[in-house]
Amino acid sequence: MNIRLGESPTGGENAGNFKEETEMKYAFVNGVILDGTQDMEPQSGKIILVDGEKITAIVDAGADTSGYEKIDLGGKYIMPGLINMHIHLPSSGKPKKKESDPKKLVKIMTSNNLFRKIIKAVCRSAAQMQLNSGVTTIRTVGGVENADSSIRDDINAGKTVGPRILAANMAVSVPDGHMAGSLAYVAESAEQARDFVAKIAEDKPDLIKLMITGGVLDAKVKGEPGVLKMPPEYVKAACDEAHKRGLMVAAHVESPEGVRVALENGVDTIEHGAKADDEIISLFKEKHAALITTLSPALPYALFDRSVSHATELSQFNGKVVFEGIIDCSEKCLANGIPVGLGTDTGCPFITHYDMWRELVYFHKYCGVSNKFALYTATKRNAEIAHIDNITGTVEPGKCADLIVTDANPIDDLKTLRNVKMVMARGHLIREPKVKKYENVERELDKFL
């Protein structure tokens, strides 16, 4: 990922024309429902009733809606809000020609309370952008200190605007490991890895993140991205401590060796992935683990002209290895009934906080799934993997009112998710969501739709 601190992507706390409407009752009428299930079909002639945070009922058109504010959708499509399973709030994704020093940036931004407030404001603004783009739940997997869980708590308390946040806060890495010393603590022993998990747990995160292998930019040799960095005994110690505390473990992994070590020692979700052999598939099944596919961050390194990506020849070569490995792992997991979720790894160059819809398009294009399956994966399936499917992920009575509205049917064309017309998060309605987009990012990424 590409840390770019101090940039507010939405331009203010209440950007996106957000209007907080507490404990309101809404009746969504004249819309077409896509419920988020794997076999979803468009449903017309129904009314969605929302009272406070919850969907209370779905009734036939013409039912009594007195006491509710009617929202006439005019034939538009309404569906569950998207769930982004892999993001980093401190980074905007805005590309730059030269890499900065993430350790130095984080050290500066955590040097005093004023800078910490700035970091929190940047992260809060990024979360708002995710929401305004149609993502009603985010899973953060590496941040600055405890900023992510602090913003989560503010949102839950109604103090600020934002999506549901599943926060990992700081990750755990090793010397010379991925994001070591910036978004991850540096463990030099198994005992220290366990102690860092305990330290992170003090802020009540929703999961723990480990950096088990290197990444594309960490690689020193062609063909060797994702070199194993974290010894197996460190992984086991961290996972044991997390599980003892009831926390799932997600792990950055970009090589087959890394996937095996992660699964053998207790990791619950493999983030990114790598080419999978029969042993890896068996381990996924044996450990009841899931894969979080992240095609978005690898695509610019692998497929962009280097004059655009500013990647070195080494980075482009290794980017292709990672991109092909993610696709291979996704396809084999899907073929073997292993749960596969989706995330953007927002923060990497060209990967913004408003582009979750592109990950669905890439999933369809490169992994061969249907548009319907991609939408199901980004809603119900992601909710199941995150263990929040009793709360969100589908349009049904009793679930949170996490909803988005589009002009057309994304099952016909996923690109309609690019500009959502309305967002509702836990019953709070954003009538005209807006985000500030980077023209150069849009132009270059659109070539690969």
Side-chain angles (χ1 to χ4, degrees):
M1 62 164 292
N2 178 31
I3 297 182
R4 190 179 183 89
L5 300 175
E7 180 173 318
S8 177
T10 60
E13 182 169 326
N14 292 311
N17 293 346
F18 182 90
K19 180 181 178 183
E20 185 175 351
E21 300 170 352
T22 307
E23 298 301 321
M24 294 290 288
K25 298 173 71 174
Y26 298 100
F28 290 93
V29 303
N30 197 23
V32 183
I33 300 172
L34 297 172
D35 65 11
T37 58
Q38 186 170 350
D39 299 319
M40 73 183 99
E41 294 294 339
Q43 301 176 56
S44 300
K46 298 289 184 180
I47 298 172
I48 300 173
L49 299 179
V50 173
D51 188 350
E53 293 189 359
K54 297 292 183 68
I55 298 170
T56 54
I58 298 176
V59 298
D60 291 333
D64 181 20
T65 57
S66 56
Y68 291 83
E69 178 184 344
K70 281 188 180 181
I71 307 293
D72 190 340
L73 297 179
K76 292 181 174 63
Y77 288 74
I78 186 166
M79 65 210 77
L82 303 180
I83 299 171
N84 192 337
M85 290 286 279
H86 190 118
I87 76 164
H88 303 274
L89 286 175
S91 309
S92 69
K94 185 177 180 180
K96 50 188 177 178
K97 293 182 180 180
K98 187 178 179 181
E99 283 298 313
S100 57
D101 183 346
K103 290 183 185 179
K104 184 177 179 180
L105 279 171
V106 171
K107 185 175 181 180
I108 292 170
M109 298 308 296
T110 56
S111 62
N112 60 58
N113 287 335
L114 174 60
F115 285 170
R116 286 188 176 93
K117 288 180 180 179
I118 292 172
I119 275 290
K120 186 175 176 180
V122 168
C123 293
R124 182 174 62 239
S125 192
Q128 292 162 0
M129 181 177 275
Q130 290 275 344
L131 181 61
N132 290 344
S133 70
V135 177
T136 54
T137 298
I138 59 176
R139 182 172 174 257
T140 72
V141 283
V144 176
E145 295 185 337
N146 67 342
D148 295 354
S149 64
S150 178
I151 295 165
R152 175 203 64 191
D153 294 345
D154 288 347
I155 292 169
N156 290 346
K159 295 178 181 178
T160 191
V161 177
R164 176 181 295 100
I165 295 179
L166 304 176
N169 290 338
M170 292 282 286
V172 180
S173 189
V174 293
D176 196 37
H178 193 57
M179 304 313 300
S182 56
L183 304 189
Y185 294 117
V186 182
E188 299 187 29
S189 67
E191 182 179 6
Q192 198 168 37
R194 182 170 57 247
D195 290 345
F196 278 132
V197 171
K199 179 178 180 177
I200 294 165
E202 291 174 4
D203 290 305
K204 295 181 171 52
D206 301 284
L207 69 153
I208 296 295
K209 173 72 179 297
L210 305 181
M211 304 294 189
I212 291 179
T213 74
V216 170
L217 295 182
D218 303 318
K220 303 294 190 287
V221 180
K222 271 188 177 183
E224 292 186 5
V227 171
L228 182 66
K229 298 283 188 177
M230 184 175 286
E233 61 269 24
Y234 290 30
V235 179
K236 186 177 188 307
C239 288
D240 286 350
E241 183 67 22
H243 292 156
K244 183 178 77 174
R245 295 170 178 272
L247 296 170
M248 294 178 67
V249 179
H252 167 98
V253 183
E254 292 186 351
S255 68
E257 182 185 15
V259 175
R260 280 192 288 271
V261 167
L263 293 174
E264 286 171 347
N265 291 283
V267 167
D268 300 292
T269 62
I270 299 296
E271 311 291 311
H272 315 304
K275 286 191 174 182
D277 56 20
D278 290 343
E279 180 188 0
I280 285 174
I281 294 302
S282 294
L283 280 169
F284 265 110
K285 291 180 177 180
E286 176 189 340
K287 303 296 184 177
H288 304 289
L291 172 71
I292 305 302
T293 292
T294 58
L295 293 162
S296 294
L299 186 145
Y301 286 111
L303 304 183
F304 277 20
D305 187 282
R306 288 196 290 116
S307 66
V308 176
S309 66
H310 303 295
T312 64
E313 183 184 0
L314 174 65
S315 293
Q316 185 178 62
F317 186 94
N318 286 330
K320 288 179 180 178
V321 172
V322 169
F323 188 59
E324 292 167 1
I326 290 171
I327 292 170
D328 180 82
C329 199
S330 298
E331 290 177 337
K332 287 177 180 173
C333 283
L334 289 169
N336 284 275
I338 294 160
V340 176
L342 292 178
T344 58
D345 203 2
T346 297
C348 290
F350 290 93
I351 313 307
T352 73
H353 284 289
Y354 56 78
D355 268 348
M356 176 63 184
W357 67 274
R358 290 187 191 273
E359 187 67 26
L360 280 71
V361 172
Y362 300 153
F363 196 42
H364 163 71
K365 181 176 180 177
Y366 295 106
C367 297
V369 304
S370 67
N371 288 349
K372 182 186 294 187
F373 191 88
L375 183 59
Y376 150 73
T377 301
T379 54
K380 187 175 190 289
R381 192 51 148 170
N382 273 355
E384 290 171 343
I385 294 171
H387 296 174
I388 56 171
D389 52 305
N390 62 323
I391 298 170
T392 192
T394 54
V395 180
E396 61 180 302
K399 294 289 181 72
C400 273
D402 297 336
L403 304 166
I404 59 174
V405 175
T406 61
D407 275 331
N409 185 356
I411 292 176
D412 295 331
D413 186 355
L414 289 167
K415 292 190 293 294
T416 194
L417 293 165
R418 181 178 200 149
N419 296 300
V420 296
K421 300 303 176 181
M422 195 175 292
V423 177
M424 175 170 276
R426 285 184 278 195
H428 297 303
L429 184 62
I430 306 174
R431 297 177 187 269
E432 296 180 9
K434 298 184 186 301
V435 295
K436 179 182 177 182
K437 299 184 178 182
Y438 305 124
E439 290 183 11
N440 61 327
V441 172
E442 297 288 284
R443 180 178 63 252
E444 297 301 331
L445 289 177
D446 281 356
K447 297 174 183 178
F448 298 91
L449 292 177

